[in-house]
Amino acid sequence: MSDISESMESLYSACNMQSDTVPLLQNGQHARSQPPAPGPRPAQPQVSPRQRVQRSQPVHILAVRRLQEEDQQFRTSSLPAIPNPFPELCGSSGAGSSPALPPGSFPPNQPPPKQDVKVFSEDGTSKVVEILADMTARDLCQLLVYKSHCVDDNSWTLVEHHPHLGLERCLEDHELVVQVEGTMASESKFLFRKNYAKYEFFKNPMNFFPEQMVTWCQQSNGSQSQLLQNFLNSSSCPEIQGFLHVKELGRKSWKKLYVCLRRSGLYCSTKGTSKEPRHLQLLADLEDSNIFTLISGKKQYSAPTDHGLCIKPNKVRNEAKELRLLCAEDEQGRMCWMTAFRLLKYGMLLYQNYRIPQQRKALLSPFSTPVRSVSENSLVAMDFSGQTGRVIDNPAEAQSAALEEGHAWRKRSMRMNMLGSQSPLHPTSINAVIHRTQHWFHGRISREESHRIIKQQGLVDGLFLLRDSQSNPKAFVLTLCHHQKIKNFQILPCEDDGQTFFTLDDGNTKFSDLIQLVDFYQLNKGVLPCKLKHHCIRVAL
């Protein structure tokens, strides 16, 4: 991973140096000027400046100030002086000074245009936000995070949702919201959602690009350290290849074809797996299109698999006939095609979007930790087990002492309630409902719904949620993503000395409530395939 970071940083710095002098095209590639043809230049006749301007010849574009100076010199040297016809508008300093017009004679500066945008959350609530015309998707997400009092971990995204077409996609951070809304139909809407897999391919590229699907048109190194660098470098030509189910335009039938994705577009082979130019046929263009995920491809389009994707031209709003519908065999194949499409379309812009939040976090790191009060800073860990107290200097010992104190507090509270002390809630009742206040608990949802939420928020390792079990009313289910596959683990209650515990491994590890269970498996893998890292969250706007 260090090799990937170093190679990407070198390419990123090189592109930043080029961006100072070379214009940037829409797809993130730099425009390169053609070098002059070799050979001696023909002698040109000497002409006056006035003749050079009057003749229909290309003129070098100079700086604005220099053009103004030459224009003023040209006017004063070749044209006669014209008296000022309105001397009363000039100031007392003479005819050459600027006119002293009263305030309000010129129209005021027009403020940048604003527009109302309606954004929906996963639970159906919505919020109307007034934004500027040049606001990007990342800026709008930060505004919604601020208004909804969420934690900004750079994983919030704005989703373009088309329910009538069964399509949705996450907007790139640099895309203009108003511009995207102009290509949407009246039934379409924006969703505010988490997407942890938005830039995951920069961290683990080999999980997104299998070796059998990636080839290079030029002789280049296809190792892991050079994989993304070849994608982002405009001089190299990466290519994604493999079989896809393609829906024929205007028909309901699907055909399995050998397809390859290049910078110029998506092509299919008319003769087996041949990639000769005479056997390649253009399926879709990358320039004025975007790639979407099929929400319910089997139900709406009779797709052969659940891993559908779509290349939608920006001009298409309601016409499903002009959509290029595709289907992959598995989820890894679909993620490979969609990620390659984004990289080939936007290039270095994606890496800039990925690096900007990290650079901001590095700048704010000295101030990110909360300021503690003086009384809290003066507190130290103490051990009162002996005759005299002592200060615990070892941090590990202090942490274990805090855990023991927490367990002792729970036992004391149980003992006091058993003796008949006044308590508003019994500890067992608190342990049974306290997890319902957590964002990772989604209540009584079905197995299919939990899988859908996991897929929506990104198939990354450690993404999880907890829900009520449908088969056992006293149990719970942990839904976890690992290696782009979703697995379910049942959490069963068990009793020990009259107290109810929760366990994930048949009683080997017991927890008094689900919060303790989640906290433990966020630090320890245990019987799970990976640690709990990201939790699925739904925020009401």
Side-chain angles (χ1 to χ4, degrees), residues 11 15 48 53 74 88 101-102 173 176 209 226 244 246 278 282 304 340 383 405 411 512 514 516-517 535:
L11 181 62
C15 289
S48 63
V53 174
F74 176 74
E88 64 275 6
L101 295 178
D173 288 344
L176 299 180
F209 300 104
Q226 297 292 328
L244 281 176
V246 181
R278 58 193 180 96
L282 181 66
D383 179 19
E405 178 64 22
K411 293 181 180 179
S512 59
L514 295 184
Q516 280 191 351
L517 184 144
H535 64 273

Side-chain angles (χ1 to χ4, degrees), residues 140-355:
L140 181 55
C141 287
Q142 287 183 326
L143 180 61
L144 293 174
V145 164
Y146 173 75
K147 289 181 176 293
S148 304
H149 307 285
C150 306
V151 178
D152 188 10
D153 55 356
N154 302 317
S155 61
W156 290 101
T157 55
L158 202 64
V159 179
E160 180 183 353
H161 182 73
H162 302 274
H164 55 290
L165 297 176
L167 306 176
E168 67 179 21
R169 76 173 180 100
C170 294
L171 269 68
E172 304 296 346
D173 288 344
H174 64 272
E175 290 190 77
L176 299 180
V177 179
V178 175
Q179 184 177 354
V180 174
E181 191 180 30
T183 63
M184 297 168 56
S186 58
E187 300 88 354
S188 305
K189 57 185 178 180
F190 286 124
L191 299 177
F192 183 55
R193 181 191 296 166
K194 283 272 190 179
N195 183 16
Y196 294 101
K198 183 167 56 173
Y199 299 120
E200 188 70 17
F201 57 89
F202 283 120
K203 305 173 186 178
N204 302 302
M206 300 307 294
N207 295 339
F208 288 80
F209 300 104
E211 293 183 1
Q212 67 274 11
M213 294 184 64
V214 181
T215 57
W216 314 102
C217 296
Q218 296 177 350
Q219 296 296 328
S220 59
N221 187 12
S223 63
Q224 181 175 359
S225 60
Q226 297 292 328
L227 180 63
L228 290 178
Q229 188 172 358
N230 282 286
F231 267 105
L232 300 180
N233 193 356
S234 59
S235 61
S236 60
C237 299
E239 192 176 277
I240 303 297
Q241 60 188 9
F243 284 97
L244 281 176
H245 298 275
V246 181
K247 185 177 182 298
E248 300 184 32
L249 294 178
R251 298 182 181 180
K252 295 183 179 180
S253 59
W254 293 73
K255 184 182 294 185
K256 191 173 183 179
L257 300 174
Y258 190 76
V259 181
C260 60
L261 179 63
R262 298 178 177 177
R263 292 193 183 275
S264 55
L266 182 69
Y267 299 87
C268 68
S269 178
T270 58
K271 187 178 180 180
T273 59
S274 174
K275 293 191 295 183
E276 296 184 12
R278 58 193 180 96
H279 295 151
L280 292 182
Q281 181 180 356
L282 181 66
L283 287 178
D285 190 9
L286 308 185
E287 187 65 27
D288 197 24
S289 303
N290 282 300
I291 191 163
F292 288 77
T293 302
L294 285 182
I295 303 174
S296 55
K298 281 189 174 181
K299 181 179 180 181
Q300 190 168 356
Y301 298 104
S302 302
T305 67
D306 291 324
H307 314 289
L309 58 149
C310 170
I311 298 179
K312 172 183 171 294
N314 295 333
K315 62 180 181 180
V316 176
R317 298 200 178 191
N318 296 317
E319 301 81 8
K321 296 181 180 180
E322 299 186 25
L323 301 177
R324 179 57 71 181
L325 301 178
L326 312 166
C327 261
E329 293 292 343
D330 51 14
E331 186 61 32
Q332 187 182 24
R334 177 167 70 170
M335 292 300 298
C336 178
W337 288 105
M338 297 186 68
T339 306
F341 187 98
R342 294 172 57 199
L343 283 169
L344 294 179
K345 180 177 175 63
Y346 296 108
M348 186 55 68
L349 281 176
L350 288 186
Y351 190 69
Q352 292 175 359
N353 297 338
Y354 167 68
R355 288 291 298 160

